[in-house]
Amino acid sequence: MTGKPKLYYFDGRGKMESIRWLLAAAGIEFEEEFLETREQYEKLLQDGALLFQQVPMVEINGMKMVQTRAILSYIAAKYNLYGKDLKERALIDMYVEGTTDLMGMIITFDFTPPKQRNLALIIERATTRYFPVYEKALKQHGQEFLVGSQFSWADVQLLEAILMVEEREPTVLSKFPLLQAFKARMSNIPTIKKFLQPGSPRKPRPDDQYVATVMEVLKKD
Amino acid sequence: MTGKPKLYYFDGRGKMESIRWLLAAAGIEFEEEFLETREQYEKLLQDGALLFQQVPMVEINGMKMVQTRAILSYIAAKYNLYGKDLKERALIDMYVEGTTDLMMLIITYPFLSAKDKEKQLSVIIDKATKRYFPVYEKILKDHGQDFLVGNQFSWADVQLLEAILMVEEKKSSVLSQFPQLQAFKARISNIPTIKKFLEPGSQRKPIPDDKYIETVKRVLQMSF
């Protein structure tokens, strides 16, 4: 037992990636157990380790936590990335729900049959629904971070979302100068910079092998 | 200006219903503005009132809050329904995510084709009785307390009752193998604020009907 959080998921991004980002941003080292076979998953189920039979699951501070949002909220609160009061927390929650919705579209994209994929919709949502909100927030207060002059979960998740969309459309920030500056600034924060370097626990873009593993382990058609 | 929270949504359950439940459980009176026309929605958009162009939106304590979960978390924290410490909050968050997932299957149901509805109904009952209800039944059995978390009424209890009633509307006998949940349902229904919300004339909304579906599709210009 190392006392470090331990992440149970596939060897890939999916819903666990936001948790990896947040732990890394907070400077918290963690271990991972990768689900590669159906048997591993069934053992976790039999051991009663997955409250609703699902992953992500994170062993942290004596708890076996499930449900991505619950895990992220806990980490944010525990490691001081949730603002200084309830109103800041409300703002962070709103901003994070927005980036979660955007990233959710990309997570689903890779599991959608190629004929039904709609990258154009993702880019449209990014550039007309989500990025303008964060661009405006940064413009209005002129500060370095989204909420309360202080680095928070909202900043981590926005950077994650920006990079994910840029992977699909490299010019997506062309009309968002403040987001470009934000991206550069956040990427330079030491814990984040380290996470962005090769050899970190950050996972690469999903490939066919990853999709096949997930479908096999969860026995989805 | 009354100082009461004001809810902007359709005149029906959808994603706003959990917010109505939680405010009611906390004993907080609220006002509602119902979206009935496309023009109303477009006005809200033009006024910049909807951060991500979506409802639910709730005006509360000087903020125009959007995103259901953010709104619910804020209400729970503000009105002391979020446990006494971070670990209890983590438990409440986990339990609430579970009931949210279950209720989402029911919220999307009215918008499905007749054929898909039949399939979805089996999924709802299957998930309720095999994935979700057993978890809450076990929690109550293991600690033997009245409430899910920390021996204290919380957001997790409100949402579990809401989910139970929603599933029962689809299959009235669904709690037959869950004696703890039956007792829980009776107990929580008798809490004065909840009892009041369950009475006719409260702001609780009925099961979605065709008129509600048609209104949502028209106002949001949904293509299906």
Side-chain angles (χ1 to χ4, degrees), chain A residues 102 105 118-132 165 172, chain B residues 53:
Chain A
L102 176 57
M105 293 177 79
N118 192 350
L119 181 59
L121 180 62
I122 293 174
I123 304 307
E124 191 200 321
R125 284 279 153 84
T127 53
T128 61
R129 176 173 288 187
Y130 296 107
F131 288 170
V165 182
V172 76
Chain B
Q53 305 157 357

Side-chain angles (χ1 to χ4, degrees), chain B:
Chain B
M1 277 242 300
T2 58
K4 291 181 192 174
K6 188 169 180 183
L7 280 48
Y8 294 73
Y9 201 68
F10 312 100
D11 186 4
R13 289 183 183 176
K15 289 190 163 192
M16 189 61 98
E17 192 72 352
S18 294
I19 294 168
R20 297 183 184 108
W21 267 92
L22 191 57
L23 285 168
I28 305 301
E29 284 183 26
F30 55 90
E31 298 177 344
E32 301 196 69
E33 184 163 310
F34 298 125
L35 295 188
E36 274 145 8
T37 67
R38 175 76 189 170
E39 290 66 39
Q40 268 176 289
Y41 173 59
E42 283 179 354
K43 182 168 194 312
L44 283 173
L45 288 175
Q46 277 147 31
D47 291 347
L50 308 179
L51 189 67
F52 299 113
Q53 305 157 357
Q54 298 163 315
V55 285
M57 189 271 277
V58 175
E59 283 175 345
I60 183 167
N61 296 339
M63 297 181 287
K64 285 182 166 54
M65 286 198 73
V66 297
Q67 293 288 353
T68 314
R69 238 181 234 84
I71 297 166
L72 288 166
S73 275
Y74 177 78
I75 295 167
K78 186 103 183 136
Y79 300 110
N80 208 22
L81 292 166
Y82 224 159
K84 70 178 194 298
D85 58 28
L86 189 52
K87 280 216 169 178
E88 286 192 356
R89 223 175 82 192
L91 274 177
I92 290 167
D93 276 342
M94 279 195 279
Y95 296 162
V96 148
E97 290 290 307
T99 44
T100 297
D101 283 350
L102 176 57
M103 290 195 284
M104 266 314 289
L105 297 175
I106 301 177
I107 288 173
T108 50
Y109 178 87
F111 293 86
L112 299 173
S113 67
K115 190 179 113 199
D116 287 343
K117 270 182 180 159
E118 209 186 300
K119 211 169 110 187
Q120 182 82 328
L121 186 54
S122 316
V123 170
I124 290 166
I125 303 307
D126 192 62
K127 289 265 152 79
T129 54
K130 301 212 181 104
R131 174 171 289 187
Y132 296 107
F133 288 169
V135 169
Y136 303 104
E137 179 82 2
K138 177 173 197 276
I139 288 160
L140 292 167
K141 185 167 188 184
D142 283 351
H143 64 43
Q145 291 163 4
D146 279 3
F147 306 107
L148 282 171
V149 179
N151 218 7
Q152 191 184 324
F153 184 51
S154 79
W155 175 22
D157 302 302
V158 181
Q159 198 137 332
L160 177 56
L161 177 62
E162 183 190 1
I164 284 170
L165 296 181
M166 277 179 84
V167 181
E168 276 187 331
E169 281 169 344
K170 301 278 179 222
K171 183 175 179 180
S172 54
S173 61
V174 76
L175 284 195
S176 59
Q177 313 287 335
F178 302 102
Q180 300 280 338
L181 292 182
Q182 291 174 36
F184 174 87
K185 174 190 160 191
R187 231 169 26 244
I188 306 303
S189 301
N190 264 309
I191 290 173
T193 49
I194 305 251
K195 191 169 183 174
K196 191 169 163 201
F197 188 63
L198 291 173
E199 279 162 8
S202 82
Q203 284 160 297
R204 187 181 182 212
K205 301 295 174 278
I207 299 179
D209 58 13
D210 288 338
K211 173 161 189 275
Y212 169 76
I213 306 302
E214 187 276 328
T215 303
V216 173
K217 286 185 177 181
R218 178 169 37 82
V219 171
L220 296 183
Q221 282 175 0
M222 284 160 79
S223 51
F224 50 91

Side-chain angles (χ1 to χ4, degrees), chain A residues 93-117:
Chain A
D93 276 342
M94 281 194 277
Y95 290 157
V96 149
E97 290 291 307
T99 44
T100 297
D101 283 350
L102 176 57
M103 290 195 284
M105 293 177 79
I106 298 176
I107 290 172
T108 318
F109 183 87
D110 292 309
F111 288 84
T112 307
K115 284 206 173 97
Q116 290 160 33
R117 290 179 184 174

